[in-house]
Amino acid sequence: MLKFLTHRVLLMIPTLIGVSIIVFLMLQIVPGDPVDSIVPVDASKEVRAQITEQLGLNHPLYIQYVDWLMRSLHGDFGQSIVRQLSVNALLFPALLNTLILALGAGIFAFVISLVIGVYSAYKPKSWLASIGNLIGLTGISIPNFWAALILIGIFSVLFGWLPPIGMKSSVNGGSFADVFYHIIMPAVAAGMTTLGVMTRMVRSAVFDLLHQDFVQTLQAKGLKPFRILLHVLKNATPNLLTVAGLQLGYLIGGSVLVETVFAWPGIGQLIYQSVSQRDYPIIQAGVLIVSVIFILLNLIVDLLHSIIDPRVRGS
Amino acid sequence: MLNESELTNPSLLSNEIKEDSLLKKVWLEFYKNRIAFIALIVLGIVVLSCLLAPLIAPFGPLDGEITDRLLPLGSTGHILGTDEQGRDMLTRVLYGGRLSLYAGFLPVVISIVIGGALGVIAGYFGRILNTIIMRTLDIFYSFPAILLAIGISAALGQGINNIVISISIIFIPPVARVAESAVKGVREEEFIEAAKSSGAQSISIIRYHVIKNIFAKVFVYGTTQISISLVLASGLSFLGLGVSPPTPEWGIMLNNLKGQIFINPLVTIIPGLFIFITALTINLVADGLRDALEINS
């Protein structure tokens, strides 16, 4: 187990370096001189030279990269260009809010897809299976920002049941019930794609397992259907876990659009605002942090996978 | 005189049937799949009417009377109502679709060409070249795709072509992976061996044997990517990374209208409905195509 862990962690290092290079280069393709976005238009040559010196822009690219990497490793992502705050002060509270939303969306999608997926694998001709089909297809086709607008149209405009924006009420907000009340629509909208993907996954995984020999043996032994289901689920878990882990990663990185519609104060909305304000340090740090979380999530999934199914350790 | 087993033996039959008939067989199978066939017709109608927008749209895409703003669905002269500046929604949806479809289809084509080429090179030549190409592309899997696309788009600056570039970049690694594993499967086949021993050069083996044999797999994978590309592109445009107003495009139209949801919710959701219908029909067609090809292979 320890060997497997070390191997995986060592494999992560080149990946992390590659990711950091891409994130670093991403901002090198920005047209124009970054100094322009900081100094006033009428700044003198001396001021410009001073800022260039300060930002280290007079050094060659690889030195700039190493500098940036070292600072990032120490948790220093620099200053926001537009807002007079450090990137950290903006990024980490937002990250927490995004994790809350991703978790909500994940729970919504995983629970429903498991129920519908398992049921429609057992009874492929039932009406619930048809609904499962529809959900699977809709989930992978629907733009989640549009789903968000439709939810607002129905539950806020038409019925007035749920709040259309924000994460907590402005007065006495912030309790668990209050956040829960605000998270319902964003979680459903953000979880829509995951729901579609997972429903299809669960159905085909369980369906395949149900037609394997060991299930017949269990049936012949006279096991109750529920016990057989437990066996099937245990066998399906490693694959489903892998997909679920990936999906959770996508939810963290992919909720930008949903957060924008619902004004959810997460990392997606922060990145969106930074995009329109051309506040590049925030975009850079945001993409980097989410990617690192994504990589760590994959590592955790691999580890869980190897605990449940020791066979993968060998490969 | 052939006996029955020889008549039904697929390997004997395939000798007589030329390659273009595979297309025909796939089409017949696809045609039998009612849902996929209807989806193809709906998709065709949407695409055609968008392409023909200048001929069939009742108004100009930028013409609007501010006094006519936010008319509801079914208003006289404006079947789909009007937007926040009094412009005809039907007209703008038709014109907008041209850019949305462009940004949906083009990245898939680009990524199939570039990703396919990388995959073929990595898979065919193997060894160090394979390691370099595939491990480099693997790094892209460490990013959530949407975020990477937003990052690249933001860095390149606003513009529909920059959206196309950013989506192409995130689509190249998975296409390369599909192509590479398909090539690995083909590379060990005897006909490649035969071609090699008869002195054919790598480039012509790739051209005549490898590409032909992996094309179906890569193509089917590509069709499933179109809807993702369409939704992603309209999402980036929704964030303001695509065209600037007043140019119509489904994503940005949805963003401009979203503030009106309390006034006229039905008109507000129309651009998104078109994104959804197009993506849905593309997915249905792609599913049908995959099934039809699976039956025939």
Side-chain angles (χ1 to χ4, degrees):
Chain A
M1 188 66 209
L2 194 67
K3 203 177 140 201
F4 177 78
L5 182 68
T6 349
H7 183 69
R8 273 301 144 96
V9 172
L10 284 178
L11 268 182
M12 251 173 65
I13 294 171
T15 314
L16 284 170
I17 293 176
V19 164
S20 69
I21 291 178
I22 292 177
V23 173
F24 176 75
L25 288 180
M26 208 165 73
L27 291 203
Q28 301 300 319
I29 54 176
V30 174
D33 189 344
V35 177
D36 290 337
S37 56
I38 301 172
V39 300
V41 189
D42 54 350
S44 66
K45 269 201 172 131
E46 288 74 37
V47 173
R48 291 185 63 95
Q50 196 193 344
I51 299 270
T52 311
E53 178 76 37
Q54 241 174 38
L55 295 173
L57 293 171
N58 48 344
H59 297 301
L61 208 57
Y62 67 93
I63 301 227
Q64 286 187 42
Y65 166 71
V66 173
D67 270 357
W68 171 78
L69 187 64
M70 284 305 148
R71 273 185 279 120
S72 302
L73 284 173
H74 287 97
D76 170 19
F77 294 108
Q79 286 280 322
S80 154
I81 293 176
V82 180
R83 288 172 258 207
Q84 300 307 313
L85 279 166
S86 74
V87 172
N88 286 355
L90 290 162
L91 207 58
F92 285 98
L95 186 62
L96 182 69
N97 293 339
T98 292
L99 290 178
I100 294 173
L101 175 59
L103 210 62
I107 292 172
F108 156 76
F110 297 156
V111 170
I112 295 187
S113 63
L114 209 59
V115 173
I116 296 184
V118 169
Y119 189 86
S120 44
Y122 267 86
K123 300 212 165 90
K125 297 231 148 68
S126 65
W127 61 269
L128 196 61
S130 311
I131 290 186
N133 259 331
L134 202 67
I135 289 179
L137 206 61
T138 309
I140 59 167
S141 308
I142 202 166
N144 58 16
F145 49 98
W146 184 61
L149 279 175
I150 291 182
L151 288 173
I152 293 179
I154 296 173
F155 295 103
S156 300
V157 180
L158 195 60
F159 295 122
W161 288 343
L162 294 168
I165 55 163
M167 184 175 168
K168 46 189 105 172
S169 310
S170 45
V171 188
N172 294 331
S175 66
F176 179 78
D178 186 45
V179 174
F180 183 79
Y181 184 56
H182 282 79
I183 207 176
I184 297 174
M185 285 200 296
V188 170
M192 208 71 101
T193 314
T194 303
L195 178 64
V197 174
M198 289 291 292
T199 306
R200 285 184 148 201
M201 260 305 290
V202 173
R203 188 188 48 209
S204 72
V206 173
F207 187 83
D208 288 347
L209 282 167
L210 279 179
H211 292 81
Q212 286 196 3
D213 292 344
F214 79 90
V215 173
Q216 260 186 0
T217 314
L218 293 175
Q219 279 166 344
K221 268 171 68 183
L223 238 65
K224 293 214 172 66
F226 180 69
R227 302 279 306 190
I228 296 179
L229 176 65
L230 288 186
H231 279 274
V232 168
L233 282 183
K234 196 180 167 203
N235 276 283
T237 308
N239 284 334
L240 296 183
L241 195 71
T242 308
V243 179
L246 271 179
Q247 286 294 325
L248 196 62
Y250 287 134
L251 284 175
I252 295 171
S255 47
V256 181
L257 293 152
V258 172
E259 286 184 3
T260 312
V261 176
F262 288 104
W264 187 267
I267 206 163
Q269 208 201 6
L270 184 66
I271 290 178
Y272 166 65
Q273 286 164 354
S274 310
V275 164
S276 50
Q277 295 164 341
R278 302 172 72 84
D279 198 345
Y280 295 113
I282 293 186
I283 306 176
Q284 200 171 27
V287 175
L288 186 69
I289 296 254
V290 173
S291 307
V292 170
I293 293 177
F294 195 59
I295 295 170
L296 289 176
L297 209 60
N298 280 328
L299 178 75
I300 295 171
V301 166
D302 276 353
L303 290 182
L304 286 177
H305 196 154
S306 79
I307 291 171
I308 299 171
D309 185 356
R311 283 172 301 181
V312 299
R313 271 179 235 166
S315 60
Chain B
M1 199 51 196
L2 290 165
N3 62 29
E4 201 179 3
S5 72
E6 273 170 319
L7 272 176
T8 51
N9 185 339
S11 64
L12 281 179
L13 283 175
S14 64
N15 283 340
E16 289 153 27
I17 298 168
K18 288 274 174 270
E19 263 142 50
D20 57 359
S21 72
L22 174 69
L23 205 65
K24 201 176 168 193
K25 278 195 292 188
V26 168
W27 168 249
L28 283 176
E29 203 56 51
F30 184 86
Y31 180 76
K32 271 193 269 174
N33 184 343
R34 286 287 108 165
I35 295 178
F37 187 67
I38 292 170
L40 183 66
I41 293 175
V42 175
L43 180 64
I45 294 173
V46 172
V47 172
L48 262 183
S49 24
C50 289
L51 291 180
L52 298 177
L55 299 177
I56 57 175
F59 298 88
L62 308 180
D63 305 344
E65 284 295 327
I66 205 73
T67 46
D68 286 343
R69 61 196 299 271
L70 292 172
L71 292 177
L73 292 187
S75 308
T76 28
H78 302 287
I79 292 176
L80 294 182
T82 56
D83 72 359
E84 77 284 359
Q85 297 196 23
R87 297 168 295 204
D88 182 54
M89 277 300 286
L90 177 64
T91 306
R92 284 181 67 77
V93 160
L94 290 178
Y95 274 96
R98 303 165 64 132
L99 282 176
S100 299
L101 291 170
Y102 169 80
F105 280 89
L106 194 58
V108 176
V109 177
I110 295 175
S111 63
I112 283 184
V113 173
I114 300 179
L118 287 172
V120 167
I121 293 170
Y124 187 80
F125 296 103
R127 293 168 210 249
I128 183 82
L129 214 49
N130 182 300
T131 312
I132 294 174
I133 295 176
M134 298 317 286
R135 291 297 84 75
T136 308
L137 293 179
D138 276 352
I139 294 170
F140 285 87
Y141 285 92
S142 312
F143 294 97
I146 300 181
L147 204 58
L148 186 60
I150 291 174
I152 298 173
S153 263
L156 290 171
Q158 192 191 27
I160 200 98
N161 284 321
N162 290 340
I163 288 184
V164 170
I165 294 173
S166 67
I167 297 179
S168 305
I169 292 175
I170 64 165
F171 275 7
I172 286 172
V175 175
R177 219 179 236 194
V178 171
E180 190 239 13
S181 79
V183 171
K184 272 184 172 166
V186 174
R187 201 178 54 182
E188 306 304 327
E189 296 275 351
E190 281 168 1
F191 58 83
I192 301 274
E193 196 73 18
K196 270 186 195 161
S197 51
S198 60
Q201 284 186 320
S202 295
I203 186 90
S204 52
I205 294 179
I206 288 177
R207 229 168 72 201
Y208 294 113
H209 300 295
V210 175
I211 291 184
K212 213 184 253 175
N213 279 288
I214 66 160
F215 186 75
K217 265 192 191 138
V218 176
F219 182 75
V220 167
Y221 182 77
T223 54
T224 62
Q225 295 287 86
I226 300 173
S227 74
I228 301 178
S229 173
L230 180 78
V231 171
L232 205 53
S234 54
L236 293 178
S237 171
F238 181 82
L239 288 178
L241 288 166
V243 295
S244 30
T247 313
E249 190 280 336
W250 292 342
I252 190 79
M253 283 169 71
L254 202 55
N255 192 354
N256 291 339
L257 278 163
K258 75 172 193 280
Q260 318 300 335
I261 190 150
F262 285 93
I263 304 164
N264 204 336
L266 286 178
V267 172
T268 304
I269 63 169
I270 287 175
L273 185 67
F274 275 83
I275 305 172
F276 176 58
I277 290 176
T278 314
L280 186 72
T281 51
I282 291 172
N283 275 327
L284 287 168
V285 171
D287 279 2
L289 201 63
R290 191 197 52 213
D291 292 346
L293 269 168
E294 254 170 28
I295 290 170
N296 282 300
S297 62

